[in-house]
């Protein structure tokens, strides 16, 4: 199989490393990385590095590395691991290189990723997924992973449910990746989203932390209100979240070190131009609009964060 990993940040670097390092030994597949600028150059010269307690050998060298998606030929499986603001551009480029047999596995945050890919690649097999991994870019081409093993949850394409994708699961399994494969992975995706979106938005507004939301009455109330709006949308989409999903989410958050930041909080309050604001609040508001519903709490915090962004720029 011809496997391509696009994006070698914390997620793509971690999972791409594991898939490629096993393949260096068994040589069952042809694996290519797609990266840009300094990341491309460093990996081309030295290989991809993963600093992790899971691996004693921290280097892996792919069969090929490209700077441009147009260099990809006849891919069987594509892992998309880019930032959400690059998704449409990546998919548009992929439309010129994929075949009718190509399977896309997006390893990205967000509940609208599947729909956004489907809009550009309407006939392609897309496997909805979510990932949990504590990894980040230490240097370009070098990823650092801490804590427990990263985990991938993925499922069948709702529009191609009967498609044979056992071989994809076999690749993931043989790579030593911790994973769960489900017929329907959407519940897991929305369960993660209700956490990362609500905590991301409130921490970004107050420049606070996960622990602060759990203990500050005002911040906790705002996060809970956003969770309820997300749960309403999930219900309309017939995604059966637990009735006590709000309590479950706060319980999960309380397991984090109190000072833990969120990526949206860090990006907004450091003045970073691109952030996950649209991935979180933008997606909530768009889905709500499709059901002729307003989400006043999300709308309010979205406007407040946009105003903060304007001041930071």
């Amino acid at each position: 199989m011809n496997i391509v990993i696009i994006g070698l940040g914390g997620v793509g670097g971690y999972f791409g490393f594991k898939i490629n390092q096993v393949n260096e030994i068994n040589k069952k597949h042809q694996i290519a990385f797609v990266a840009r600028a300094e990341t491309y150059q460093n990996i081309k010269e030295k290989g991809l590095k993963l600093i992790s307690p899971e691996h004693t050998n921290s280097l892996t060298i792919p069969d090929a590395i490209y700077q441009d998606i147009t260099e990809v030929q006849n891919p069987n499986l594509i892992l998309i691991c880019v930032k959400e603001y690059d998704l449409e551009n990546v998919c548009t480029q992929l439309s010129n290189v994929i075949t009718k047999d190509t399977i896309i596995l997006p390893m990205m945050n967000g509940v609208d990723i599947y729909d956004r890919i489907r809009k550009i690649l309407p006939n392609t097999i897309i496997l909805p997924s979510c990932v949990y991994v504590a990894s980040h870019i230490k240097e370009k081409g070098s990823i650092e992973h801490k804590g427990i093993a990263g985990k991938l949850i993925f499922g069948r394409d709702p529009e191609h449910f009967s498609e044979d994708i056992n071989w994809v699961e076999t690749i993931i399994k043989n790579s030593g990746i911790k994973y769960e494969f489900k017929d329907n992975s959407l519940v897991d995706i929305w369960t993660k989203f209700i956490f990362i979106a609500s905590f991301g938005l409130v921490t970004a507004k107050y420049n606070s932390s996960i622990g602060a939301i759990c203990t500050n009455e005002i911040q906790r109330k705002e996060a809970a209100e956003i969770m309820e709006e997300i749960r309403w949308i999930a219900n309309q989409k017939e995604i059966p979240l637990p009735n006590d999903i709000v309590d479950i989410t706060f319980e999960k958050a309380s397991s984090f070190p109190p000072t833990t930041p969120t990526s949206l909080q860090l990006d907004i309050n450091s003045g970073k131009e691109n952030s996950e604001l649209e991935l979180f609040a933008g997606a909530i508001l768009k889905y709500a609009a499709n059901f002729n519903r307003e989400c006043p709490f999300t709308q309010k915090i979205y406007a407040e964060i946009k105003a903060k962004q304007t001041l930071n720029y």
Side-chain angles (χ1 to χ4, degrees):
M1 296 293 181
N2 188 358
I3 303 170
V4 181
I5 295 97
I6 302 176
L8 295 166
V11 172
Y14 175 85
F15 290 102
F17 179 96
K18 296 179 84 69
I19 291 171
N20 192 76
Q21 191 170 76
V22 168
N23 193 68
E24 282 186 280
I25 298 170
N26 61 37
K27 299 294 183 183
K28 288 185 177 180
H29 310 289
Q30 182 76 15
I31 298 182
F33 294 162
V34 179
R36 295 182 295 194
E38 189 178 349
T39 301
Y40 163 83
Q41 198 62 43
N42 287 347
I43 295 176
K44 183 178 180 181
E45 293 176 1
K46 308 171 190 174
L48 173 64
K49 185 174 185 179
L50 176 65
I51 304 166
S52 170
E54 297 176 27
H55 296 275
T56 54
N57 179 3
S58 62
L59 286 175
T60 190
I61 299 174
D63 296 305
I65 181 164
Y66 306 127
Q67 291 191 84
D68 197 317
I69 290 173
T70 59
E71 297 176 75
V72 173
Q73 295 183 2
N74 300 316
N76 298 107
L77 175 63
I78 298 175
L79 277 56
I80 301 180
C81 311
V82 300
K83 295 293 187 182
E84 68 88 17
Y85 42 78
D86 286 330
L87 181 60
E88 276 72 16
N89 179 46
V90 165
C91 290
T92 299
Q93 294 180 67
L94 284 175
S95 65
N96 297 314
V97 303
I98 61 174
T99 73
K100 62 181 180 62
D101 299 317
T102 300
I103 292 178
I104 290 180
L105 176 55
M107 293 184 172
M108 302 173 63
N109 283 328
V111 291
D112 63 348
I113 300 300
Y114 175 90
D115 293 336
R116 288 164 62 184
I117 298 174
R118 172 68 64 215
K119 186 175 181 180
I120 300 172
L121 305 172
N123 302 312
T124 303
I125 300 165
I126 306 161
L127 309 183
S129 74
C130 62
V131 296
Y132 294 89
V133 60
S135 53
H136 64 276
I137 298 172
K138 187 175 179 64
E139 299 173 357
K140 299 294 187 181
S142 178
I143 307 301
E144 184 171 24
H145 163 245
K146 297 180 179 180
I148 62 174
K151 182 177 181 180
L152 166 67
I153 301 173
F154 70 109
R156 296 185 181 277
D157 185 336
E159 294 193 14
H160 299 272
F161 190 82
S162 299
E163 190 71 29
D164 178 15
I165 58 172
N166 291 335
W167 63 270
V168 177
E169 183 181 2
T170 298
I171 290 170
I172 299 298
K173 181 179 180 180
N174 291 344
S175 299
I177 292 170
K178 185 179 179 181
Y179 78 97
E180 289 184 35
F181 174 74
K182 302 183 176 183
D183 285 344
N184 182 354
S185 59
L186 294 177
V187 171
D188 297 275
I189 292 169
W190 280 79
T191 296
K192 179 179 181 181
F193 183 75
I194 207 168
F195 171 64
I196 60 175
S198 59
F199 275 78
L201 291 168
V202 176
T203 55
K205 173 184 174 179
Y206 290 100
N207 195 17
S208 59
S209 65
I210 288 178
I213 293 180
C214 291
T215 56
N216 181 283
E217 183 178 351
I218 293 174
Q219 294 184 40
R220 185 182 179 96
K221 184 174 184 295
E222 290 190 16
E225 288 165 340
I226 293 169
M227 291 180 205
E228 291 291 358
E229 291 179 339
I230 297 171
R231 177 164 66 172
W232 185 90
I233 295 169
N235 287 339
Q236 301 309 302
K237 293 177 70 65
E238 299 183 348
I239 297 167
L241 297 180
N243 292 331
D244 58 346
I245 186 64
V246 173
D247 292 335
I248 291 172
T249 304
F250 278 117
E251 184 177 347
K252 177 179 179 180
S254 66
S255 68
F256 284 75
T259 57
T260 303
T262 68
S263 57
L264 181 60
Q265 173 230 326
L266 294 173
D267 289 347
I268 294 298
N269 291 281
S270 66
K272 190 175 180 180
E273 182 177 359
N274 293 312
S275 74
E276 296 171 316
L277 181 60
E278 296 301 328
L279 180 69
F280 297 158
I284 295 168
L285 297 175
K286 286 176 184 176
Y287 276 132
N290 290 340
F291 294 111
N292 297 314
R293 163 97 172 208
E294 292 186 356
C295 288
F297 298 109
T298 300
Q299 181 64 61
K300 181 174 182 292
I301 202 166
Y302 177 71
E304 290 170 339
I305 294 173
K306 290 287 284 186
K308 178 181 282 194
Q309 280 184 311
T310 300
L311 290 175
N312 287 342
Y313 297 159

